[in-house]
Amino acid sequence: MRPAAANALLPTVQPTQSAHLVGRIVSNGAAPTAFNDPYAFTPGYYDLFRASEDALPSVSFFAGLTPPDADALEIGSGTGRLALAVAGRARTLTCLERSPTMRAVLISKLAQRPEMRSKVTVLQGTAPGFDLGRAFDYVYLGGVLEHVPPAERPVLFAAIAAHLRPGGLCAMDMVLRMPAPDLEERVMDEQVLGECRYVLSAEAERLGPDLSRLRQTYRTYLRGELIATEPTERLHNMHRPGPVLKDLADAGLHPAEGDGLAQATPLPDDPGAVVVRKAAP
Ligand SMILES: C[S@@+](CC[C@H](N)C(=O)[O-])C[C@H]1O[C@@H](n2cnc3c(N)ncnc32)[C@H](O)[C@@H]1O
């Protein structure tokens, strides 16, 4: 099993060619290209380092919340780690994903699952600037909030509320109290495929109380010899429980239970989840 610190960073450290470009994609909805998509070259690594049962975002947490017979929407569905499990429980699932390569991997997985073809819809789109013209019973985001600057949160939550039916459920993770990460480069995980050993390391520079620059490096070793080094970098936004719950309430989304904060995993570095509901009329 990976050290606990690896779980804390794995859902948050995603590669990008330019942190500034990520911000631009989020804010203006520009179509991602091979040059500005932070996931353009790494969906394979994404799944490789999240193959274990305890990998984050937590599949069991998001799938377990799926209401019976729900029409569900995942924002930032990536390679479909959560989507396939939710689709197994939902009536329909719509996946909104801005990265063409992450989407391609999900489509490829769906191609091998005939039973899911009629109920999973995969769409190109960037939150918060999306309008699907329909509403859902369950909207969820796993490992996505850290990509969204706090200033864009109200617009994102308004878009989520607009896509929820009255009484509909919304869940997200990465609502954290811990300081923005600041760490020297360290190995987070390693995986072996055939004769290759893949090593993922991460380092972070704290730029402010709620913002870090994260650098993630994938190194490939063949029979012990380093044959590839692929560094990536992006900004990482921290979202705090108080302001998140306030912005959700302003959008008409209120705690589903208790104070709305949920434990997504039993791990000490649980990726702070929030579960809210749109008020029924
Ligand atoms: C850490 S991955 C999580 C993928 C998936 N939810 C999972 O749990 O495995 C984040 C994904 O969200 C996508 N993403 C980030 N910001 C987004 C946005 N504003 N709109 C749509 N997708 C976004 C990224 O392209 C990436 O595929």
Side-chain angles (χ1 to χ4, degrees):
M1 191 171 144
R2 290 189 306 276
N7 264 333
L9 274 178
L10 270 175
T12 65
V13 182
Q14 273 88 45
T16 181
Q17 302 231 307
S18 158
H20 302 293
L21 282 171
V22 173
R24 217 178 298 153
I25 293 167
V26 170
S27 59
N28 69 9
T33 69
F35 302 103
N36 65 14
D37 173 13
Y39 293 89
F41 310 108
T42 55
Y45 291 139
Y46 188 85
D47 278 357
L48 181 62
F49 285 103
R50 286 166 186 78
S52 73
E53 218 169 83
D54 64 341
L56 298 175
S58 167
V59 173
S60 58
F61 174 73
F62 287 101
L65 286 170
T66 313
D69 208 30
D71 292 318
L73 167 65
E74 178 168 3
I75 297 172
S77 44
T79 58
R81 286 183 58 252
L82 308 178
L84 296 180
V86 170
R89 296 173 177 230
R91 193 176 75 82
T92 68
L93 172 65
T94 299
C95 296
L96 185 75
E97 170 55 56
R98 72 181 181 194
S99 164
T101 51
M102 295 294 261
R103 264 198 329 271
V105 170
L106 172 53
I107 288 170
S108 173
K109 290 178 183 176
L110 290 169
Q112 294 160 27
R113 290 169 171 79
E115 75 284 4
M116 290 195 175
R117 284 187 176 210
S118 62
K119 64 175 180 179
V120 182
T121 302
V122 183
L123 298 175
Q124 171 180 354
T126 298
F130 67 100
D131 178 3
L132 304 181
R134 57 164 299 194
F136 299 86
D137 305 296
Y138 179 38
V139 178
Y140 64 99
L141 307 81
V144 174
L145 212 51
E146 66 268 32
H147 294 273
V148 179
E152 295 193 3
R153 217 167 44 215
V155 187
L156 173 64
F157 292 169
I160 290 172
H163 285 82
L164 268 178
R165 294 184 179 129
L169 203 64
C170 170
M172 63 193 72
D173 62 4
M174 300 308 292
V175 181
L176 299 166
R177 295 183 199 277
M178 66 178 68
D182 190 40
L183 54 121
E184 299 282 311
E185 182 175 354
R186 70 172 70 148
V187 171
M188 309 304 290
D189 199 359
E190 58 178 73
Q191 298 290 332
V192 174
L193 286 180
E195 292 189 277
C196 283
R197 185 166 61 93
Y198 299 88
V199 179
L200 166 60
S201 71
E203 63 183 295
E205 178 192 358
R206 188 177 300 138
L207 303 175
D210 294 334
L211 186 67
S212 293
R213 188 193 320 281
L214 293 174
R215 187 175 168 84
Q216 184 175 34
T217 304
Y218 298 94
R219 292 188 177 84
T220 306
Y221 296 84
L222 175 62
R223 294 189 289 275
E225 183 191 344
L226 180 64
I227 58 167
T229 301
E230 297 165 273
T232 60
E233 191 177 285
R234 74 163 179 86
L235 291 179
H236 172 74
N237 298 282
M238 302 297 288
H239 295 268
R240 308 306 186 181
V244 166
L245 288 166
K246 181 189 178 307
D247 288 348
L248 286 166
D250 289 347
L253 302 171
H254 302 283
E257 267 182 33
D259 60 6
L261 302 179
Q263 186 89 9
T265 71
L267 302 171
D269 56 349
D270 180 71
V274 166
V275 185
V276 289
R277 199 177 282 287
K278 180 171 174 172

